[in-house]
Amino acid sequence: MSTSALYTGAARARGRSALARCVGDVDEFLATVWTRRHRHRVAAEPAAFADLFGEDSLRHVLAHRELRVGRHDLRLMQTVDGRFSVLDPAQYTVGSEAGDDRVDGAAVNRLLRSGASLALQLVDRYWRPLERFCRDLELFLGHPCQATAYVTPPAAQGLDVHHDLHDVLVLMLAGEKEFTLYEPVIEDPVRGQMLSSLSPPPHLQEIATMTLRPGDVLYIPRGMPHVALTGAHRSMHLTIGVRAATWHALAAEVTGKLADECAADREMRRSIPVGALYGGHEYESLADEQAERLAGIVRELARRAFREGLTRTMLAARPTDYGDGSDWLDRVAAPLTAERAAVRLRPGALVHITRRGDEAEVRLSGGRILRTGLAEADALAEILSAPGGGTAMAYVSPAGPTSPLIRLVRVLLQEGVLEMATTR
């Protein structure tokens, strides 16, 4: 028997505010729009998302960030005479040595000026404002998020008609872009169910067309086909992709573990009786009995997958947030010798504690796993559950600075999961 709990501190409140920036009334959006239909929200302020990314941000990334094609950092596309194509990376990589896939920022700028479209992918992995924004969103929604910046020349489209395998929030930054949406062909598609893989190509029924201007937001649910065309000037927008965990993914995890679980069950390892091939009432009853046993194993696996699988996905989705500034090493090295030294969960950090038998497993943001005793896990849970002022270490660890809890807390400080309560 195991018990587990996820600790997020005040992160969900920040995430709610991040979503409200995009959709307004969060409760109404989740109840009536999320996963059900699209919504276009007209901006009250054109510069509503200027703090997240913009032209200056793009120039900085292309000039100073080492981007690589092999990491899928970016793609360049072009539409010529109505025909869409993805440009050969050889046109914008350094290419001084075989296999060198580093992106040449100057070449990218030349291609942009000549009419190419740019998709700067996973920009939240290194651009601090977007990293924070996506982290806040995913901690509220419970699904990993990612950001892509699109730059499209005048009167051009960046991508063909397509649907995404994730929900999308389009945040318009500059220029204008006309989006055309179509009725879904496959509702809630999963991997392998792309629009381009259907044969023959489906007939698409248009349901809406709208023009996005700076500060506007468009929510597009997973599986809704769409295409976008820029206006008279170059446009830039962000797409926040919400990579929804699905029941299908949990089912795949369950079926992947089912054979191993059955191998550990003595009854499931028994031989099928002689004569079962020819049927009979007693064999049908036995089959029903084993089917019930198998259903019980599946039920427990499904509960575990739902309880722990989502948590693992969230913990692995994003590394620890060490905060701003260059002084974080000094902060995590702060001594814990003071009798009442207080620590607390850092904003944006995640900790998952699972108790099994006489030991506990502590999972951290980024996927690292620590193992400790139950007493230390209980004391750590007290720290993680404390209100904003932190927890006095003397109260949870009277044994002093060499106790297992103090050593565990030191590791969590070094990992950026905890912070000294006097640092904020």
Side-chain angles (χ1 to χ4, degrees):
M1 180 68 179
S2 67
T3 60
S4 64
L6 178 66
Y7 299 88
T8 63
R12 289 208 75 206
R14 284 216 321 267
R16 186 182 186 88
S17 297
L19 184 59
R21 284 185 65 180
C22 302
V23 304
D25 187 327
V26 169
D27 292 331
E28 185 273 336
F29 173 79
L30 294 178
T32 66
V33 178
W34 174 253
T35 74
R36 297 172 179 84
R37 57 189 177 90
H38 73 277
R39 172 171 286 180
H40 175 204
R41 185 169 187 248
V42 177
E45 169 54 57
F49 303 106
D51 60 311
L52 298 180
F53 203 76
E55 291 282 353
D56 290 342
S57 314
L58 176 65
R59 282 192 289 270
H60 180 88
V61 169
L62 291 178
H64 302 294
R65 177 79 186 179
E66 183 179 87
L67 303 172
R68 290 185 177 271
V69 173
R71 287 197 307 244
H72 307 289
D73 287 339
L74 84 170
R75 288 185 302 159
L76 286 168
M77 299 78 66
Q78 196 153 21
T79 302
V80 179
D81 297 329
R83 299 185 62 183
F84 169 83
S85 63
V86 178
L87 297 184
D88 185 345
Q91 296 185 52
Y92 54 89
T93 49
V94 175
S96 58
E97 299 179 7
D100 191 345
D101 65 346
R102 289 176 297 155
V103 170
D104 182 345
V108 172
N109 277 316
R110 286 195 299 272
L111 289 167
L112 288 175
R113 288 195 297 270
S114 67
S117 298
L118 168 69
L120 195 61
Q121 300 172 138
L122 299 178
V123 67
D124 56 293
R125 295 302 179 185
Y126 53 82
W127 193 252
R128 181 70 172 152
L130 277 174
E131 179 189 14
R132 281 181 164 174
F133 188 70
C134 287
R135 183 188 295 272
D136 289 347
L137 281 175
E138 64 193 15
L139 288 178
F140 176 74
L141 294 169
H143 299 291
C145 296
Q146 63 189 36
T148 301
Y150 288 93
V151 180
T152 312
Q157 67 182 59
L159 297 171
D160 271 338
V161 179
H162 67 286
H163 69 216
D164 293 304
L165 301 184
H166 49 259
D167 295 86
V168 171
L169 288 164
V170 179
L171 313 182
M172 202 67 194
L173 301 177
E176 295 184 357
K177 203 158 196 177
E178 182 183 85
F179 279 78
T180 302
L181 311 180
Y182 303 87
E183 285 283 0
V185 177
I186 305 173
E187 293 188 359
D188 300 320
V190 295
R191 186 182 298 274
Q193 295 180 330
M194 298 302 295
L195 197 64
S196 58
S197 66
L198 299 180
S199 182
H203 172 71
L204 296 178
Q205 181 179 343
E206 182 178 326
I207 58 173
T209 298
M210 68 281 296
T211 299
L212 269 63
R213 297 176 177 86
D216 284 8
V217 177
L218 174 62
Y219 168 69
I220 305 175
R222 174 164 57 108
M224 178 171 283
H226 55 279
V227 67
L229 181 70
T230 50
H233 304 283
R234 188 168 86 163
S235 74
M236 176 183 286
H237 73 270
L238 292 169
T239 64
I240 308 298
V242 183
R243 297 185 287 119
T246 66
W247 298 111
H248 169 268
L250 291 180
E253 181 174 342
V254 168
T255 55
K257 296 178 178 178
L258 182 57
D260 288 341
E261 289 292 320
C262 289
D265 186 292
R266 175 69 179 87
E267 291 301 316
M268 295 303 296
R269 296 200 306 268
R270 291 187 184 280
S271 300
I272 296 174
V274 173
L277 174 65
Y278 304 105
H281 176 71
E282 67 275 18
Y283 296 122
E284 290 180 5
S285 297
L286 181 60
D288 289 342
E289 179 183 321
Q290 293 299 88
E292 283 296 320
R293 191 174 192 86
L294 182 61
I297 295 173
V298 171
R299 192 175 301 112
E300 178 55 31
L301 279 173
R303 287 197 187 106
R304 198 184 311 162
F306 177 71
R307 187 173 60 244
E308 299 178 5
L310 290 177
T311 302
R312 286 198 305 273
T313 298
M314 287 298 298
L315 288 169
R318 197 170 296 276
T320 298
D321 177 3
Y322 289 106
D324 291 322
S326 58
D327 63 338
W328 71 268
L329 279 175
D330 296 330
R331 297 201 306 267
V332 302
L336 292 173
T337 55
E339 185 178 353
R340 294 181 181 273
V343 295
R344 63 186 170 199
L345 185 65
R346 281 184 56 79
L350 287 177
V351 180
H352 184 250
I353 299 177
T354 302
R355 298 168 177 82
R356 292 191 180 94
D358 59 356
E359 70 172 10
E361 180 181 275
V362 181
R363 287 180 178 264
L364 312 179
S365 304
R368 184 175 178 185
I369 300 174
L370 306 173
R371 289 179 172 80
T372 188
L374 292 180
E376 289 72 40
D378 291 342
L380 177 61
E382 184 178 341
I383 295 172
L384 300 176
S385 302
T391 296
M393 294 299 299
Y395 297 154
V396 296
S397 183
T402 60
S403 72
L405 176 61
I406 293 293
R407 291 197 296 269
L408 176 61
V409 167
R410 280 204 178 101
V411 171
L412 297 182
L413 284 167
Q414 292 162 5
E415 290 289 329
V417 173
L418 297 178
E419 66 179 2
M420 302 300 294
T422 56
T423 63
R424 294 185 65 83

PDB file of all heavy atoms in Angstrom, residues 363-388:
ATOM      1  N   ARG A 363      10.110  12.950  -5.426  1.00  0.00           N
ATOM      2  CA  ARG A 363      10.365  13.311  -6.830  1.00  0.00           C
ATOM      3  C   ARG A 363      10.360  14.824  -6.963  1.00  0.00           C
ATOM      4  O   ARG A 363       9.480  15.503  -6.427  1.00  0.00           O
ATOM      5  CB  ARG A 363       9.309  12.713  -7.761  1.00  0.00           C
ATOM      6  CG  ARG A 363       9.426  11.210  -7.965  1.00  0.00           C
ATOM      7  CD  ARG A 363       8.345  10.700  -8.907  1.00  0.00           C
ATOM      8  NE  ARG A 363       8.478   9.289  -9.150  1.00  0.00           N
ATOM      9  CZ  ARG A 363       9.108   8.760 -10.204  1.00  0.00           C
ATOM     10  NH1 ARG A 363       9.641   9.558 -11.115  1.00  0.00           N
ATOM     11  NH2 ARG A 363       9.187   7.450 -10.361  1.00  0.00           N
ATOM     12  N   LEU A 364      11.332  15.348  -7.731  1.00  0.00           N
ATOM     13  CA  LEU A 364      11.504  16.783  -7.873  1.00  0.00           C
ATOM     14  C   LEU A 364      11.229  17.234  -9.307  1.00  0.00           C
ATOM     15  O   LEU A 364      11.236  16.426 -10.241  1.00  0.00           O
ATOM     16  CB  LEU A 364      12.937  17.183  -7.489  1.00  0.00           C
ATOM     17  CG  LEU A 364      13.499  16.626  -6.180  1.00  0.00           C
ATOM     18  CD1 LEU A 364      14.925  17.103  -5.990  1.00  0.00           C
ATOM     19  CD2 LEU A 364      12.618  17.027  -5.013  1.00  0.00           C
ATOM     20  N   SER A 365      11.027  18.529  -9.478  1.00  0.00           N
ATOM     21  CA  SER A 365      10.939  19.091 -10.825  1.00  0.00           C
ATOM     22  C   SER A 365      12.182  18.690 -11.609  1.00  0.00           C
ATOM     23  O   SER A 365      13.299  18.739 -11.093  1.00  0.00           O
ATOM     24  CB  SER A 365      10.850  20.625 -10.756  1.00  0.00           C
ATOM     25  OG  SER A 365       9.771  21.034  -9.962  1.00  0.00           O
ATOM     26  N   GLY A 366      11.987  18.299 -12.874  1.00  0.00           N
ATOM     27  CA  GLY A 366      13.093  17.825 -13.688  1.00  0.00           C
ATOM     28  C   GLY A 366      13.247  16.325 -13.641  1.00  0.00           C
ATOM     29  O   GLY A 366      13.987  15.744 -14.433  1.00  0.00           O
ATOM     30  N   GLY A 367      12.544  15.653 -12.696  1.00  0.00           N
ATOM     31  CA  GLY A 367      12.515  14.199 -12.689  1.00  0.00           C
ATOM     32  C   GLY A 367      13.445  13.518 -11.702  1.00  0.00           C
ATOM     33  O   GLY A 367      13.437  12.296 -11.598  1.00  0.00           O
ATOM     34  N   ARG A 368      14.272  14.276 -10.968  1.00  0.00           N
ATOM     35  CA  ARG A 368      15.184  13.625 -10.025  1.00  0.00           C
ATOM     36  C   ARG A 368      14.404  12.952  -8.901  1.00  0.00           C
ATOM     37  O   ARG A 368      13.395  13.470  -8.422  1.00  0.00           O
ATOM     38  CB  ARG A 368      16.168  14.634  -9.439  1.00  0.00           C
ATOM     39  CG  ARG A 368      17.195  13.957  -8.522  1.00  0.00           C
ATOM     40  CD  ARG A 368      18.264  14.875  -8.020  1.00  0.00           C
ATOM     41  NE  ARG A 368      19.171  14.154  -7.129  1.00  0.00           N
ATOM     42  CZ  ARG A 368      20.162  14.711  -6.446  1.00  0.00           C
ATOM     43  NH1 ARG A 368      20.397  16.004  -6.563  1.00  0.00           N
ATOM     44  NH2 ARG A 368      20.916  13.988  -5.656  1.00  0.00           N
ATOM     45  N   ILE A 369      14.902  11.789  -8.438  1.00  0.00           N
ATOM     46  CA  ILE A 369      14.249  11.012  -7.384  1.00  0.00           C
ATOM     47  C   ILE A 369      15.202  10.874  -6.201  1.00  0.00           C
ATOM     48  O   ILE A 369      16.371  10.507  -6.365  1.00  0.00           O
ATOM     49  CB  ILE A 369      13.848   9.607  -7.892  1.00  0.00           C
ATOM     50  CG1 ILE A 369      12.879   9.730  -9.076  1.00  0.00           C
ATOM     51  CG2 ILE A 369      13.217   8.794  -6.777  1.00  0.00           C
ATOM     52  CD1 ILE A 369      12.551   8.408  -9.732  1.00  0.00           C
ATOM     53  N   LEU A 370      14.707  11.174  -5.006  1.00  0.00           N
ATOM     54  CA  LEU A 370      15.450  10.982  -3.764  1.00  0.00           C
ATOM     55  C   LEU A 370      14.683   9.978  -2.911  1.00  0.00           C
ATOM     56  O   LEU A 370      13.454   9.922  -2.957  1.00  0.00           O
ATOM     57  CB  LEU A 370      15.586  12.305  -3.000  1.00  0.00           C
ATOM     58  CG  LEU A 370      16.188  13.491  -3.758  1.00  0.00           C
ATOM     59  CD1 LEU A 370      16.092  14.750  -2.908  1.00  0.00           C
ATOM     60  CD2 LEU A 370      17.641  13.208  -4.136  1.00  0.00           C
ATOM     61  N   ARG A 371      15.407   9.206  -2.128  1.00  0.00           N
ATOM     62  CA  ARG A 371      14.774   8.251  -1.214  1.00  0.00           C
ATOM     63  C   ARG A 371      15.169   8.571   0.211  1.00  0.00           C
ATOM     64  O   ARG A 371      16.321   8.890   0.489  1.00  0.00           O
ATOM     65  CB  ARG A 371      15.141   6.823  -1.589  1.00  0.00           C
ATOM     66  CG  ARG A 371      14.455   6.380  -2.882  1.00  0.00           C
ATOM     67  CD  ARG A 371      14.796   4.969  -3.313  1.00  0.00           C
ATOM     68  NE  ARG A 371      13.956   4.572  -4.430  1.00  0.00           N
ATOM     69  CZ  ARG A 371      14.169   4.918  -5.691  1.00  0.00           C
ATOM     70  NH1 ARG A 371      15.223   5.679  -5.985  1.00  0.00           N
ATOM     71  NH2 ARG A 371      13.354   4.531  -6.652  1.00  0.00           N
ATOM     72  N   THR A 372      14.196   8.486   1.114  1.00  0.00           N
ATOM     73  CA  THR A 372      14.440   8.865   2.500  1.00  0.00           C
ATOM     74  C   THR A 372      13.528   8.063   3.400  1.00  0.00           C
ATOM     75  O   THR A 372      12.672   7.290   2.936  1.00  0.00           O
ATOM     76  CB  THR A 372      14.212  10.382   2.683  1.00  0.00           C
ATOM     77  OG1 THR A 372      14.624  10.761   3.981  1.00  0.00           O
ATOM     78  CG2 THR A 372      12.749  10.752   2.480  1.00  0.00           C
ATOM     79  N   GLY A 373      13.678   8.252   4.722  1.00  0.00           N
ATOM     80  CA  GLY A 373      12.834   7.568   5.680  1.00  0.00           C
ATOM     81  C   GLY A 373      11.483   8.241   5.840  1.00  0.00           C
ATOM     82  O   GLY A 373      11.285   9.391   5.432  1.00  0.00           O
ATOM     83  N   LEU A 374      10.536   7.530   6.465  1.00  0.00           N
ATOM     84  CA  LEU A 374       9.190   8.074   6.636  1.00  0.00           C
ATOM     85  C   LEU A 374       9.181   9.294   7.544  1.00  0.00           C
ATOM     86  O   LEU A 374       8.426  10.247   7.313  1.00  0.00           O
ATOM     87  CB  LEU A 374       8.261   6.989   7.195  1.00  0.00           C
ATOM     88  CG  LEU A 374       7.958   5.815   6.262  1.00  0.00           C
ATOM     89  CD1 LEU A 374       7.029   4.834   6.947  1.00  0.00           C
ATOM     90  CD2 LEU A 374       7.356   6.296   4.955  1.00  0.00           C
ATOM     91  N   ALA A 375      10.004   9.292   8.593  1.00  0.00           N
ATOM     92  CA  ALA A 375      10.030  10.428   9.517  1.00  0.00           C
ATOM     93  C   ALA A 375      10.490  11.691   8.791  1.00  0.00           C
ATOM     94  O   ALA A 375       9.912  12.771   8.969  1.00  0.00           O
ATOM     95  CB  ALA A 375      10.947  10.133  10.697  1.00  0.00           C
ATOM     96  N   GLU A 376      11.529  11.561   7.954  1.00  0.00           N
ATOM     97  CA  GLU A 376      12.018  12.715   7.196  1.00  0.00           C
ATOM     98  C   GLU A 376      10.969  13.167   6.184  1.00  0.00           C
ATOM     99  O   GLU A 376      10.777  14.365   5.966  1.00  0.00           O
ATOM    100  CB  GLU A 376      13.324  12.369   6.487  1.00  0.00           C
ATOM    101  CG  GLU A 376      14.516  12.219   7.393  1.00  0.00           C
ATOM    102  CD  GLU A 376      14.457  10.939   8.216  1.00  0.00           C
ATOM    103  OE1 GLU A 376      14.042   9.896   7.674  1.00  0.00           O
ATOM    104  OE2 GLU A 376      14.820  10.993   9.413  1.00  0.00           O
ATOM    105  N   ALA A 377      10.275  12.194   5.559  1.00  0.00           N
ATOM    106  CA  ALA A 377       9.235  12.549   4.593  1.00  0.00           C
ATOM    107  C   ALA A 377       8.102  13.314   5.271  1.00  0.00           C
ATOM    108  O   ALA A 377       7.580  14.297   4.727  1.00  0.00           O
ATOM    109  CB  ALA A 377       8.698  11.294   3.910  1.00  0.00           C
ATOM    110  N   ASP A 378       7.714  12.870   6.468  1.00  0.00           N
ATOM    111  CA  ASP A 378       6.642  13.562   7.189  1.00  0.00           C
ATOM    112  C   ASP A 378       7.076  14.977   7.562  1.00  0.00           C
ATOM    113  O   ASP A 378       6.286  15.928   7.461  1.00  0.00           O
ATOM    114  CB  ASP A 378       6.274  12.774   8.448  1.00  0.00           C
ATOM    115  CG  ASP A 378       5.575  11.457   8.127  1.00  0.00           C
ATOM    116  OD1 ASP A 378       5.079  11.320   6.995  1.00  0.00           O
ATOM    117  OD2 ASP A 378       5.541  10.570   9.008  1.00  0.00           O
ATOM    118  N   ALA A 379       8.308  15.130   8.010  1.00  0.00           N
ATOM    119  CA  ALA A 379       8.801  16.458   8.377  1.00  0.00           C
ATOM    120  C   ALA A 379       8.914  17.348   7.144  1.00  0.00           C
ATOM    121  O   ALA A 379       8.583  18.547   7.193  1.00  0.00           O
ATOM    122  CB  ALA A 379      10.159  16.332   9.063  1.00  0.00           C
ATOM    123  N   LEU A 380       9.370  16.783   6.028  1.00  0.00           N
ATOM    124  CA  LEU A 380       9.449  17.550   4.789  1.00  0.00           C
ATOM    125  C   LEU A 380       8.054  17.990   4.347  1.00  0.00           C
ATOM    126  O   LEU A 380       7.851  19.125   3.900  1.00  0.00           O
ATOM    127  CB  LEU A 380      10.118  16.725   3.696  1.00  0.00           C
ATOM    128  CG  LEU A 380      10.207  17.380   2.314  1.00  0.00           C
ATOM    129  CD1 LEU A 380      11.027  18.668   2.388  1.00  0.00           C
ATOM    130  CD2 LEU A 380      10.820  16.405   1.305  1.00  0.00           C
ATOM    131  N   ALA A 381       7.068  17.093   4.471  1.00  0.00           N
ATOM    132  CA  ALA A 381       5.697  17.441   4.111  1.00  0.00           C
ATOM    133  C   ALA A 381       5.198  18.617   4.944  1.00  0.00           C
ATOM    134  O   ALA A 381       4.465  19.482   4.449  1.00  0.00           O
ATOM    135  CB  ALA A 381       4.782  16.235   4.299  1.00  0.00           C
ATOM    136  N   GLU A 382       5.610  18.685   6.211  1.00  0.00           N
ATOM    137  CA  GLU A 382       5.221  19.805   7.062  1.00  0.00           C
ATOM    138  C   GLU A 382       5.810  21.114   6.536  1.00  0.00           C
ATOM    139  O   GLU A 382       5.148  22.151   6.512  1.00  0.00           O
ATOM    140  CB  GLU A 382       5.693  19.556   8.497  1.00  0.00           C
ATOM    141  CG  GLU A 382       5.239  20.623   9.480  1.00  0.00           C
ATOM    142  CD  GLU A 382       5.687  20.325  10.893  1.00  0.00           C
ATOM    143  OE1 GLU A 382       6.016  19.158  11.181  1.00  0.00           O
ATOM    144  OE2 GLU A 382       5.730  21.262  11.706  1.00  0.00           O
ATOM    145  N   ILE A 383       7.070  21.060   6.092  1.00  0.00           N
ATOM    146  CA  ILE A 383       7.702  22.243   5.510  1.00  0.00           C
ATOM    147  C   ILE A 383       6.955  22.673   4.243  1.00  0.00           C
ATOM    148  O   ILE A 383       6.631  23.840   4.048  1.00  0.00           O
ATOM    149  CB  ILE A 383       9.174  21.967   5.172  1.00  0.00           C
ATOM    150  CG1 ILE A 383       9.974  21.700   6.445  1.00  0.00           C
ATOM    151  CG2 ILE A 383       9.793  23.130   4.401  1.00  0.00           C
ATOM    152  CD1 ILE A 383      11.394  21.223   6.174  1.00  0.00           C
ATOM    153  N   LEU A 384       6.678  21.707   3.375  1.00  0.00           N
ATOM    154  CA  LEU A 384       6.061  22.015   2.089  1.00  0.00           C
ATOM    155  C   LEU A 384       4.634  22.523   2.233  1.00  0.00           C
ATOM    156  O   LEU A 384       4.135  23.243   1.363  1.00  0.00           O
ATOM    157  CB  LEU A 384       6.086  20.773   1.197  1.00  0.00           C
ATOM    158  CG  LEU A 384       7.467  20.196   0.883  1.00  0.00           C
ATOM    159  CD1 LEU A 384       7.335  18.914   0.073  1.00  0.00           C
ATOM    160  CD2 LEU A 384       8.324  21.210   0.141  1.00  0.00           C
ATOM    161  N   SER A 385       3.984  22.141   3.320  1.00  0.00           N
ATOM    162  CA  SER A 385       2.593  22.547   3.533  1.00  0.00           C
ATOM    163  C   SER A 385       2.468  23.850   4.302  1.00  0.00           C
ATOM    164  O   SER A 385       1.366  24.360   4.478  1.00  0.00           O
ATOM    165  CB  SER A 385       1.853  21.451   4.320  1.00  0.00           C
ATOM    166  OG  SER A 385       1.904  20.220   3.645  1.00  0.00           O
ATOM    167  N   ALA A 386       3.606  24.385   4.760  1.00  0.00           N
ATOM    168  CA  ALA A 386       3.564  25.575   5.612  1.00  0.00           C
ATOM    169  C   ALA A 386       3.117  26.796   4.822  1.00  0.00           C
ATOM    170  O   ALA A 386       3.319  26.883   3.617  1.00  0.00           O
ATOM    171  CB  ALA A 386       4.939  25.824   6.223  1.00  0.00           C
ATOM    172  N   PRO A 387       2.504  27.779   5.510  1.00  0.00           N
ATOM    173  CA  PRO A 387       2.155  29.034   4.836  1.00  0.00           C
ATOM    174  C   PRO A 387       3.404  29.806   4.445  1.00  0.00           C
ATOM    175  O   PRO A 387       4.532  29.380   4.755  1.00  0.00           O
ATOM    176  CB  PRO A 387       1.343  29.790   5.902  1.00  0.00           C
ATOM    177  CG  PRO A 387       1.769  29.182   7.197  1.00  0.00           C
ATOM    178  CD  PRO A 387       2.077  27.745   6.908  1.00  0.00           C
ATOM    179  N   GLY A 388       3.231  30.936   3.807  1.00  0.00           N
ATOM    180  CA  GLY A 388       4.326  31.653   3.162  1.00  0.00           C
ATOM    181  C   GLY A 388       5.555  31.920   3.995  1.00  0.00           C
ATOM    182  O   GLY A 388       6.639  32.083   3.464  1.00  0.00           O
TER     183      GLY A 388
END
